[in-house]
Amino acid sequence: DQQVKQNSPSLSVQEGRISILNCDYTNSMFDYFLWYKKYPAEGPTFLISISSIKDKNEDGRFTVFLNKSAKHLSLHIVPSQPGDSAVYFCAASRSGGYQKVTFGTGTKLQVIP
Amino acid sequence: EAGVTQFPSHSVIEKGQTVTLRCDPISGHDNLYWYRRVMGKEIKFLLHFVKESKQDESGMPNNRFLAERTGGTYSTLKVQPAELEDSGVYFCASSASPGGSNSPLHFGNGTRLTVT
């Protein structure tokens, strides 16, 4: 049972435009959400996170939006750059104590120069 | 600060053989995790150590997998005997506090295991 779903396996965007990556979750107990970025032959690296008490968190070109009622979050990258080309994983966990992090299947983003 | 290191980076073994993967977490990180990604699928949780103790091993597929973290430093993950479906990339991650809201996970580059 996949609790974190990324339904788009891939996305192509022109350099300078906006990239929007989507993620849905099914476990209503999740209250903390993260995005990780992964380059080939490397491990995932933390990008940005959001707590369920917020609906938006921004860090430079990256913004994550959370819609709790829809159990949906999205990552916006503006403007997209060729170096952003990577696989992006959505992840979720419960806060407090020893809670494991549950990952999605990833979306491969290609930013075309 | 040295990152999480994993060894080997690649391993090709035959079905029925044994393989041992090693992970050295970031120094001082009490929390160590093993994850696995099978081609195109999610990064799936295997288990979580807090120091030398197994906090959560609910993701371990079966008793062919054995993880240890003697002394609370590096960890090993042994697969014995290996089966074809064990192929995938095994990631190790560490964090100072329990992962998720407390602190992000720091991942190693993974070990790509191929069972033929």
Side-chain angles (χ1 to χ4, degrees):
Chain A
D1 175 33
Q2 204 168 319
Q3 300 183 62
V4 177
K5 301 177 182 180
Q6 295 177 256
N7 293 320
S8 297
S10 63
L11 174 68
S12 288
V13 171
Q14 286 290 133
E15 180 179 2
R17 305 295 291 268
I18 184 172
S19 295
I20 300 176
L21 294 91
N22 293 303
C23 176
D24 298 292
Y25 61 95
T26 58
N27 188 339
S28 58
M29 299 299 290
F30 288 145
D31 58 6
Y32 199 79
F33 305 90
L34 311 95
W35 285 93
Y36 283 79
K37 177 179 178 180
K38 183 186 176 307
Y39 292 118
E42 295 184 8
T45 55
F46 170 72
L47 186 60
I48 191 169
S49 62
I50 187 167
S51 163
S52 61
I53 63 173
K54 296 185 175 182
D55 54 18
K56 176 183 174 181
N57 188 28
E58 195 170 350
D59 183 2
R61 297 185 296 112
F62 302 90
T63 303
V64 57
F65 295 92
L66 175 63
N67 182 335
K68 290 189 291 294
S69 61
K71 294 193 180 70
H72 177 83
L73 61 155
S74 60
L75 175 68
H76 292 211
I77 307 173
V78 183
S80 300
Q81 299 174 353
D84 296 330
S85 298
V87 178
Y88 289 79
F89 290 93
C90 174
S93 73
R94 296 170 58 180
S95 57
Y98 298 105
Q99 302 291 347
K100 66 185 178 189
V101 179
T102 301
F103 286 82
T105 53
T107 296
K108 185 175 182 179
L109 173 66
Q110 181 183 20
V111 180
I112 304 165
Chain B
E1 172 183 82
V4 176
T5 56
Q6 293 187 244
F7 182 83
S9 56
H10 293 85
S11 181
V12 181
I13 61 172
E14 293 183 354
K15 177 182 171 180
Q17 289 186 322
T18 297
V19 63
T20 300
L21 314 181
R22 173 171 168 143
C23 169
D24 287 77
I26 292 172
S27 178
H29 280 192
D30 287 341
N31 295 273
L32 186 149
Y33 307 80
W34 284 98
Y35 281 84
R36 176 174 74 176
R37 188 181 191 214
V38 174
M39 179 68 75
K41 298 196 174 179
E42 75 270 29
I43 301 174
K44 198 164 186 180
F45 170 83
L46 297 179
L47 88 161
H48 170 201
F49 282 101
V50 178
K51 296 185 180 178
E52 67 276 8
S53 299
K54 291 176 185 174
Q55 177 63 37
D56 180 356
E57 52 183 330
S58 61
M60 294 290 264
N62 50 61
N63 59 10
R64 295 186 293 103
F65 289 74
L66 175 65
E68 295 181 321
R69 192 184 182 194
T70 307
T73 53
Y74 71 91
S75 174
T76 58
L77 179 64
K78 182 162 74 172
V79 185
Q80 179 183 31
E83 297 289 345
L84 298 178
E85 64 265 24
D86 300 333
S87 296
V89 181
Y90 289 77
F91 291 106
C92 176
S94 71
S95 64
S97 301
S101 62
N102 292 315
S103 63
L105 303 179
H106 298 262
F107 281 86
N109 288 338
T111 294
R112 180 175 294 278
L113 175 64
T114 302
V115 183
T116 62

